[in-house]
Amino acid sequence: MRQKLSKQNLLLVGFTLFSMFFGAGNLIFPPFLGARAGVLTWKAMSGFLLSAVGLPVLGVAAVALSGGIGKLAGRVHPGFAFLFTLLIYLSIGPCLAIPRTSSTSFEMTVFPVLEQMGVSLNSTVSGTGFTVQTMAQFGYSVVFFAAAMAVAFRPDKLTDRLGKILCPTLLVLISVIFIGCLVWPMGHYGAPGAVYKSGPAVTGFLEGYQTMDTIAALNFGIIIAINIQAKGVDQEGAIVRETIRAGIIAGILLALIYAALAHIGAPAGAAAGSMDNGARILTFVAGNLFGNAGMMILGLIFLIACFNTCVGLLSCCSQYFNSIIPVIGYRVWVFLFALISLIISSAGLNKILAVSVPVLNAIYPIAIVLIVLAFLGPLTRRWPAMYSAAILFTGAVSVVYALEQSKFVIPFLTQATTFLPGYGAGLGWIVPAFAGMAAGIIYSSVMGDQEE
């Protein structure tokens, strides 16, 4: 008998996956893209949706088909599987994504209130050497991470809270802001910024990296599969099928919300002036639409989204590190990651975003190629060296590009990679990826490492 989830459970799992994906970056990047792309917003969004929706959905499916990120990356090499999985968890965990949840929610909940109160945020607190903004952000982060840590201590309670309560609440609140923009439009879409004029779709595609959802999908996929199994679906093929269906539901929700957020930001570009991130763009729009009520709605949106993601990531990362270093208990890992994230979040949202760009440009291409290879099962089984060769070629170029973004040039090698098609746009890894696949086929054929 063919197993499948009930419609209610399928929606619940899809909403849960959406809630796991939808956090700080998902809120701040689409409106900022709209504000900067202006009349080219929808061309830019075509690329953004490909990398921020399409790839994460494929990532969930790839992990479900492969039986987990460890098995998928292990097809390259066991050492690579460990290192890459570790790097992913650190990126979506205490080094970038978790600190960003606190920084972004601070920008949306406390920062506007302090500005309205006329507090001089750049003034120095007597006897500390720190600004008022730094001290306020640190105090907020202490409370934020303490609350997230307390909830993460009970990972068995997360699914119902995300899927049944917080996700619908979040969708309703975002709809209020979007409908307000439709009823009281702020004007026409503005002129596009220089970075979007030449290749809006490519720029949008690279902006989609910032959501971190493709690399998060490599970890979330197996968690969703486990939740589906807990609902009574235990046949392997059925679990994969239902995981993909849940991923599609999450993807549709993401695409709709991203489009709404981009439309919110697009006409605000000219009016908002030199706002330097999407959080402040949304603050400007909500304040103009609904005044203080709008600020409260927006603050609640960010608090729910960021808190959900923070709790989920704390739990996910702590479970992984507890599995590889079991001598340290799960709750101790939760505390350690909350503490590390607290320290890093004090740097502020803009600095965290600046650091995340080169890191994600190094990791994302590798994750994308792994996902593509997962769907080339017959070919990779016939020529198994495709995995290692494709990842080696891709990783070499993506790391060189990321280092160059960080002002670190490798003599001769950096100059050589600049001749690759699409390198200047951050897509120089595509040709090497295909070249690596071809090299893997040739190697497997010559060495007789083929499966008939």
Side-chain angles (χ1 to χ4, degrees):
M1 181 178 177
R2 181 178 177 179
Q3 293 182 327
K4 64 177 183 178
L5 292 171
S6 66
K7 292 182 179 179
Q8 181 179 352
N9 282 335
L10 180 60
L11 284 174
L12 175 61
V13 174
F15 275 30
T16 300
L17 181 56
F18 167 82
S19 297
M20 293 169 70
F21 277 135
F22 199 82
N26 309 74
L27 278 164
I28 63 179
F29 293 114
F32 196 41
L33 179 150
R36 292 188 298 165
V39 294
L40 298 178
T41 290
W42 300 113
K43 289 184 178 180
M45 281 299 292
S46 66
F48 184 88
L49 292 177
L50 179 60
S51 61
V53 177
L55 289 176
V57 171
L58 290 176
V60 169
V63 170
L65 289 168
S66 305
I69 177 59
K71 291 183 179 179
L72 177 58
R75 295 172 184 173
V76 179
H77 187 275
F80 169 80
F82 175 79
L83 183 61
F84 184 68
T85 304
L86 181 67
L87 189 58
I88 282 181
Y89 273 107
L90 289 174
S91 297
I92 68 169
C95 293
L96 291 176
I98 295 178
R100 195 169 72 181
T101 60
S102 172
S103 298
T104 305
S105 57
F106 171 81
E107 288 269 357
M108 302 308 301
T109 55
V110 178
F111 189 90
V113 173
L114 293 177
E115 284 191 323
Q116 283 191 344
M117 292 172 60
V119 176
S120 179
L121 296 173
N122 292 321
S123 62
T124 302
V125 178
S126 178
T128 66
F130 296 107
T131 65
V132 172
Q133 180 174 342
T134 300
M135 294 293 288
Q137 183 165 332
F138 181 79
Y140 172 85
S141 296
V142 169
V143 176
F144 181 88
F145 285 120
M149 183 174 63
V151 177
F153 279 163
R154 293 294 305 274
D156 55 309
K157 300 293 185 181
L158 299 184
T159 302
D160 286 344
R161 292 172 181 171
L162 293 179
K164 289 183 178 179
I165 302 173
L166 294 177
C167 177
T169 302
L170 186 64
L171 293 176
V172 169
L173 291 173
I174 293 175
S175 297
V176 170
I177 302 293
F178 176 63
I179 292 172
C181 287
L182 296 180
V183 176
W184 301 289
M186 297 188 64
H188 301 290
Y189 286 16
V195 70
Y196 283 95
K197 287 182 179 178
S198 58
V202 173
T203 303
F205 181 85
L206 296 176
E207 289 288 321
Y209 284 10
Q210 293 274 11
T211 66
M212 299 190 182
D213 282 348
T214 298
I215 57 176
L218 297 177
N219 298 301
F220 290 163
I222 194 64
I223 296 173
I224 292 300
I226 291 172
N227 278 271
I228 290 172
Q229 199 168 8
K231 299 291 184 183
V233 178
D234 54 13
Q235 295 175 358
E236 183 177 351
I239 292 173
V240 171
R241 183 176 61 252
E242 297 305 293
T243 299
I244 293 173
R245 291 175 68 194
I248 292 172
I249 291 174
I252 291 172
L253 284 174
L254 286 171
L256 291 174
I257 296 301
Y258 287 155
L261 290 171
H263 174 72
I264 289 171
S274 59
M275 296 292 181
D276 54 2
N277 61 58
R280 296 184 181 179
I281 291 287
L282 287 175
T283 301
F284 174 82
V285 173
N288 275 269
L289 286 174
F290 303 114
N292 290 335
M295 302 303 297
M296 292 176 63
I297 293 171
L298 193 59
L300 191 57
I301 288 172
F302 272 81
L303 184 59
I304 292 174
C306 294
F307 187 79
N308 285 351
T309 301
C310 182
V311 171
L313 292 176
L314 280 174
S315 178
C316 180
C317 293
S318 299
Q319 287 177 334
Y320 170 73
F321 278 89
N322 178 236
S323 70
I324 62 175
I325 310 177
V327 69
I328 301 178
Y330 165 80
R331 291 193 172 187
V332 176
W333 280 116
V334 172
F335 171 77
L336 289 174
F337 288 145
L339 179 61
I340 294 170
S341 300
L342 167 65
I343 296 170
I344 294 177
S345 68
S346 300
L349 179 58
N350 289 332
K351 290 183 180 178
I352 293 173
L353 297 181
V355 172
S356 69
V357 171
V359 173
L360 294 176
N361 279 332
I363 298 175
Y364 246 76
I366 298 173
I368 292 171
V369 174
L370 268 180
I371 291 170
V372 171
L373 290 170
F375 291 98
L376 300 179
L379 294 178
T380 55
R381 284 192 293 270
R382 182 175 177 84
W383 297 292
M386 284 180 65
Y387 265 96
S388 53
I391 294 301
L392 176 63
F393 284 34
T394 303
V397 175
S398 65
V399 169
V400 168
Y401 180 76
L403 289 174
E404 184 185 9
Q405 282 193 313
S406 300
K407 312 301 180 184
F408 186 85
V409 176
I410 302 175
F412 304 111
L413 185 58
T414 300
Q415 289 86 340
T417 55
T418 58
F419 293 102
L420 290 168
Y423 180 84
L427 300 176
W429 55 271
I430 294 179
V431 170
F434 282 106
M437 293 180 193
I441 293 174
I442 295 171
Y443 179 85
S444 292
S445 301
V446 171
M447 299 303 292
D449 186 21
Q450 293 176 267
E451 295 183 10
E452 300 298 333

